[in-house]
Amino acid sequence: MPLSFSSLCSDFYINQRLNLKMDLPLRRDTILSLFERVRKVHPQMDRLRRYANEFALETSAADDGQAALQWAAVRKTSLRSGVANPAGIEEGLALHRLLLEVAPFYLDINGLDLEHLELLFGFDLHAQGNHDAIVYKALLAGSPIGALADRPGAVPVACQPMLGVCLSDTPEQQTFLEVKTRSTAGGHYGAAGRAVRTSEEESPISVYLIVRRLAPAKDVTRLPQVMAEIAGEALEIIESVIAPNVLAPLRSCIVTG
């Protein structure tokens, strides 16, 4: 995990998704040839898995727990990949770049077929207790919408803010920020005897930054360059907005209880 993120979260990951308009050729020889090409560059990805709706190539869990976990998957109309806890940003983007370089030729992807390309930067912060109360205290306390929870006896039971924006100078690009809690029903009871969601174990609060480019390229050979542009803009948002205004307050509330 990049050192700049290690003090703010428990786990960090970068996922990519290329959505297509037409069905991909999910033939045996096609999928195996693509995955074998990926494995030549990333030999640690040596586990082939078949799920209900996709074929996936995954990294076997490292014995020392230090190596980044990677996966690539092909679905009917999408190509997806992910890297968890990379040592640095470049390592986290390398698999995605490779897939965008080689997959169009193995899967017959045409520029007309491209619907959107997106990168998700995810941050997991493990926390006990009422996740929704933590998110409220860190991000919404004192805000106009947070006034609902300022009423006497109010206990947050659902607090998963999400915001999406589209900048006027780049209408084809959409940026989303989402906070997801994973507490389960239990613990104590709030107003009207309703169970407050809590977590006795340290399940994560997740923060997602998703940057999506619609109709990303007319020429599939430009996909790696488009991904680099998306990554650069996402990292600027993380540094200027997400880290100081979302991750740091959440981390502070978790640490202070």
Side-chain angles (χ1 to χ4, degrees):
M1 184 190 314
L3 292 177
S4 57
F5 299 148
S6 60
S7 62
L8 295 175
C9 63
S10 308
D11 294 291
F12 166 67
Y13 39 95
I14 306 175
N15 295 346
Q16 174 182 255
R17 182 171 67 182
L18 178 65
N19 262 33
L20 305 167
K21 299 173 184 177
M22 299 184 67
D23 293 354
L24 289 170
L26 302 182
R27 300 185 300 270
R28 171 188 172 89
D29 58 337
T30 301
I31 298 299
L32 289 176
S33 295
L34 172 61
F35 284 168
E36 182 60 28
R37 175 66 177 84
V38 172
R39 195 162 70 97
K40 287 182 179 179
V41 181
H42 300 277
Q44 68 277 20
M45 298 178 68
D46 57 1
R47 179 189 296 178
L48 179 64
R49 302 287 296 275
R50 181 173 184 173
Y51 297 98
N53 299 311
E54 70 180 22
F55 296 95
L57 183 67
E58 304 172 351
T59 302
S60 298
D63 294 336
D64 57 9
Q66 298 300 312
L69 297 179
Q70 300 172 297
W71 56 270
V74 179
R75 289 188 174 184
K76 191 174 183 180
T77 57
S78 67
L79 176 68
R80 302 161 55 243
S81 52
V83 181
N85 294 323
I89 298 299
E90 281 305 310
E91 180 183 342
L93 296 174
L95 173 62
H96 308 320
R97 183 182 301 109
L98 174 65
L99 279 175
L100 292 180
E101 289 173 351
V102 304
F105 305 101
Y106 284 90
L107 301 176
D108 297 324
I109 298 174
N110 185 282
L112 293 173
D113 194 22
L114 304 178
E115 184 173 274
H116 71 254
L117 174 66
E118 70 178 35
L119 284 179
L120 179 151
F121 288 75
F123 306 84
D124 284 354
L125 297 86
H126 289 266
Q128 294 181 341
N130 183 346
H131 285 187
D132 298 296
I134 293 172
V135 173
Y136 162 75
K137 180 180 179 181
L139 305 180
L140 293 180
S143 68
I145 195 172
L148 176 64
D150 293 334
R151 299 169 64 86
V155 179
V157 295
C159 188
Q160 301 187 82
M162 178 178 180
L163 177 65
V165 299
C166 180
L167 301 179
S168 58
D169 57 342
T170 53
E172 74 280 0
Q173 187 155 299
Q174 302 171 344
T175 303
F176 300 89
L177 169 63
E178 180 179 359
V179 180
K180 183 176 180 60
T181 59
R182 290 185 176 83
S183 302
T184 55
H188 61 287
Y189 285 81
R194 186 169 181 171
V196 174
R197 301 195 313 156
T198 64
S199 176
E200 295 182 359
E201 298 181 354
E202 289 193 350
S203 55
I205 297 173
S206 295
V207 176
Y208 302 137
L209 175 68
I210 302 170
V211 182
R212 178 180 300 158
R213 182 78 62 88
L214 305 177
K218 295 181 180 180
D219 182 354
V220 293
T221 62
R222 290 196 68 253
L223 285 174
Q225 179 182 340
V226 173
M227 186 211 68
E229 295 171 1
I230 293 174
E233 294 170 14
L235 290 170
E236 190 280 325
I237 294 172
I238 291 171
E239 181 178 351
S240 62
V241 178
I242 307 301
N245 299 313
V246 181
L247 297 179
L250 283 171
R251 183 64 176 170
S252 177
C253 283
I254 293 171
V255 170
T256 61

